[in-house]
Amino acid sequence: MSGLHLPQRVRDHAAERPGAPAVTCGDTTLTYAELDWRTNRIAVALSGLASGGARVGALLRMRTEGVETFVAAAKAGLVFVPLNWRLPAAEAAAIAVDAELRVLIVEAEFAAAADAVREALPGVTVVLVDAPEADGLPPGTWTWERLLASGTATDPGFGDDPDAAVLQLYTSGTTGFPKGVVATHRNLHNEPEGQLIYRWKPGSVALDALPLFHIAGAGWLSTCLSAGVHVVLLGAFDARQVAALVDRHRITHAFLVPSTLQMLLDVPDLERYDVSSLELVAYGSAPITPALLRRAIDRLGCGFVQRYGMTETTGSVTALAAEDHDPSGHRAHLLRSAGRPMPGVEVEIRDVVTGARLAVGESGEIVCRSRNNVAGYWHRPDETAQLLTHDGFLRTGDAGYVDEEGYLFVTDRVKDMIITGGENVYPVEVESVLAEHPAVAEVAVVGVPHRTWGESVTAVVRLVDPAVVPDEQELIAFTAGRLASYKKPREIVFVAELPRGASGKILKRTLRDTLRDAAVSS
């Protein structure tokens, strides 16, 4: 298995295809030989600052230095910890303390957070990636060029232990302080059978425009480098820039979350850009409506693959293959599916209360067992115990069912389920219906406290044309006949934008809090 780990794959590609492009950011491209050489030097330098599985943090957008730090840390036997740069400085510092960072790689944009980390961890070495070598830097502060120059080209040689930790990502903290999810090489490695679903070819070029601190960004990067493809990086998602990069670099593969896919399709003059090079778009990290998926298939004209997973499964658990995307065929219902288990993954549906395994077609909590599942959380034994079942399955916190053919259908997050008048309502089902209305660009459905029903089904809608506002009752009536009466929204709220996290996912907790506060104050 060791030959499949990220650092060894980079070494192999450098030896077999040294001149092949590996990473492009802006106007800079590194070949696999250059990436291997540079990460050797950085790994040696980092080994002089930390050792024995110590944590190397990063406050970086998706950029070349982040890729190099990820690979170099693995080569040095260290653990890469990309931090959420959207957090307030104090929260970023708290996570740095929790991770016990020894080194922090940071770009100037996030200097305030770096200062907070330095204050909280006086012994941390801070490396500035975009600062010139100059006098006057604070003690314990290096520049990126100094770090690179201080190393040697001798590879430290780590990365062959499948059980060694390599990546530590922090969850979003929706249920409390963010937890460190520790992934090993065994969790992260990309076996050839799993890579087949992406239909890589010689000359494939992939886009990575998601944050490093998100499993979608870090996992897609690992997948692409392991496959030996050319990865084009984008530090901040901009739909027009995505279209321009596809045009410029003839990008063949991309990973997008549904909301960023929506943004790309909404570019007013998308036809100006030649996106015909796209062969496959992988999507996931949030539910997608069939309406959006049909629109994407029609407009982009490429293959689509859905990936379902979470940080604790280090990426994909199931995948809906390109051949299962047939909007007008007799299996069009599969567009609502998350696909079948990836190689080596077991998926079951269990009763949320009793933990009993449920039959085909019955809804419950999705649990899975595979080598992808992490062993637990960093320094969190109680939360780790809650994450895993007695027989080694991981509780995803998602609700769903499996059909007769083994396809998984994710109905929603268990915590997002709305209970109204004693009935369970899964928001994604309501969202899928409302998304079919021609006036609706995006919709998110949440439960708002109600004195009679417990919760009221509320739809928050962004319109295609803000100047043309449909009647609220018209939208509610649109769901009649498609949804049971108790599932229909009781209220429609129109907004200019929906709140999003760094990966582009809609923040339903923010919506719930805002609507609850509005209801209390009214």
Side-chain angles (χ1 to χ4, degrees):
M1 184 186 293
S2 62
L4 299 173
H5 299 160
L6 177 60
Q8 189 56 46
R9 295 305 296 142
V10 171
R11 294 167 180 140
D12 291 345
H13 293 313
E16 297 164 6
R17 305 160 49 245
V23 179
T24 292
C25 186
D27 295 326
T28 300
T29 296
L30 299 179
T31 66
Y32 272 96
E34 290 169 332
L35 179 63
D36 187 49
W37 181 84
R38 288 176 65 87
T39 52
N40 284 347
R41 298 186 68 90
I42 295 165
V44 172
L46 289 175
S47 296
L49 299 172
S51 61
R55 269 57 182 168
V56 175
L59 277 165
L60 300 170
R61 293 184 181 272
M62 184 60 79
R63 56 187 289 166
T64 305
E65 292 88 350
V67 176
E68 292 177 331
T69 304
F70 189 4
V71 175
K75 285 184 172 184
L78 304 172
V79 182
F80 184 46
V81 187
L83 302 181
N84 184 343
W85 37 259
R86 301 187 74 171
L87 293 175
E91 291 185 34
I95 291 174
V97 171
D98 184 79
E100 302 170 6
L101 294 188
R102 296 291 301 278
V103 180
L104 177 66
I105 316 294
V106 63
E107 56 186 292
E109 181 182 0
F110 311 119
D115 289 343
V117 171
R118 185 187 284 110
E119 184 176 351
L121 287 172
V124 71
T125 299
V126 174
V127 180
L128 304 176
V129 302
D130 42 12
E133 189 69 58
D135 296 331
L137 291 177
T141 301
W142 294 36
T143 65
W144 183 256
E145 291 308 315
R146 178 188 171 193
L147 184 75
L148 182 66
S150 69
T152 69
T154 303
D155 191 331
F158 285 91
D160 60 352
D161 179 0
D163 295 318
V166 63
L167 179 67
Q168 186 163 313
L169 299 176
Y170 277 78
T171 60
S172 59
T174 55
T175 57
F177 185 83
K179 301 181 290 292
V181 180
V182 183
T184 65
H185 286 288
R186 186 190 304 276
N187 299 145
L188 199 64
H189 87 86
N190 292 272
E191 67 272 276
E193 296 82 2
Q195 290 274 21
L196 290 176
I197 198 162
Y198 302 115
R199 301 179 174 180
W200 301 116
K201 299 177 183 176
S204 289
V205 183
L207 174 70
D208 199 339
L210 294 170
L212 263 174
F213 59 78
H214 194 283
I215 187 58
W220 183 239
L221 176 63
S222 176
T223 295
C224 294
L225 291 179
S226 295
V229 304
H230 178 194
V231 187
V232 178
L233 309 177
L234 180 60
F237 188 88
D238 178 275
R240 191 180 299 278
Q241 184 68 5
V242 167
L245 289 175
V246 172
D247 190 342
R248 176 183 176 187
H249 295 287
R250 311 312 299 148
I251 287 170
T252 59
H253 292 66
F255 186 96
L256 300 172
V257 300
S259 57
T260 57
L261 180 58
Q262 173 90 51
M263 293 177 200
L264 178 60
L265 298 176
D266 285 346
V267 172
D269 53 351
L270 186 58
E271 66 279 356
R272 283 185 50 203
Y273 303 95
D274 182 1
V275 297
S276 62
S277 61
L278 280 174
E279 298 174 7
L280 187 141
V281 171
Y283 64 95
S285 296
I288 191 169
T289 64
L292 174 58
L293 192 49
R294 286 195 296 269
R295 183 184 171 207
I297 292 171
D298 180 65
R299 178 63 187 85
L300 299 179
C302 62
F304 284 78
V305 167
Q306 180 175 175
R307 291 172 41 173
Y308 165 70
M310 55 194 296
T311 306
E312 289 85 344
T313 64
T314 47
S316 299
V317 171
T318 66
L320 185 69
E323 55 268 27
D324 287 328
H325 288 71
D326 185 8
S328 58
H330 69 284
R331 291 161 63 81
H333 68 283
L334 290 180
L335 293 186
R336 296 183 289 105
S337 168
R340 288 171 162 169
M342 294 286 283
V345 177
E346 300 172 71
V347 172
E348 293 183 3
I349 307 298
R350 297 191 177 180
D351 186 279
V352 175
V353 177
T354 68
R357 183 176 180 179
L358 300 178
V360 167
E362 291 188 308
S363 293
E365 183 177 14
I366 302 165
V367 300
C368 60
R369 182 168 62 187
S370 78
R371 58 91 186 157
N372 303 81
N373 289 354
V374 300
Y377 298 113
W378 173 251
H379 295 340
R380 299 293 184 92
D382 292 341
E383 287 90 339
T384 296
Q386 294 170 13
L387 177 68
L388 303 170
T389 68
H390 70 282
D391 52 351
F393 279 78
L394 184 144
R395 296 185 176 96
T396 67
D398 287 333
Y401 64 92
V402 174
D403 72 4
E404 296 81 358
E405 296 181 280
Y407 286 89
L408 174 67
F409 289 78
V410 183
T411 49
D412 233 311
R413 292 290 294 170
V414 169
K415 66 184 179 184
D416 286 340
M417 183 180 72
I418 301 167
I419 303 177
T420 178
E423 300 283 0
N424 295 343
V425 177
Y426 291 105
V428 70
E429 184 179 1
V430 185
E431 291 163 356
S432 295
V433 171
L434 281 172
E436 299 282 349
H437 193 283
V440 175
E442 285 185 292
V443 56
V445 172
V446 296
V448 176
H450 190 281
R451 66 180 62 186
T452 302
W453 306 113
E455 288 184 294
S456 175
V457 180
T458 303
V460 184
V461 170
R462 181 175 71 84
L463 297 170
V464 172
D465 184 353
V468 182
V469 182
D471 181 75
E472 179 181 0
Q473 292 306 313
E474 174 196 343
L475 280 182
I476 294 174
F478 181 78
T479 66
R482 307 185 188 201
L483 293 171
S485 179
Y486 67 87
K487 296 180 181 179
K488 293 189 301 184
R490 302 301 178 214
E491 182 182 5
I492 306 288
V493 177
F494 298 105
V495 296
E497 295 292 339
L498 291 163
R500 303 183 188 281
S503 67
K505 292 171 65 173
I506 294 171
L507 300 176
K508 289 193 173 182
R509 182 182 66 169
T510 299
L511 286 176
R512 281 193 295 266
D513 291 347
T514 301
L515 293 170
R516 181 196 61 216
D517 293 346
V520 169
S521 61
S522 62

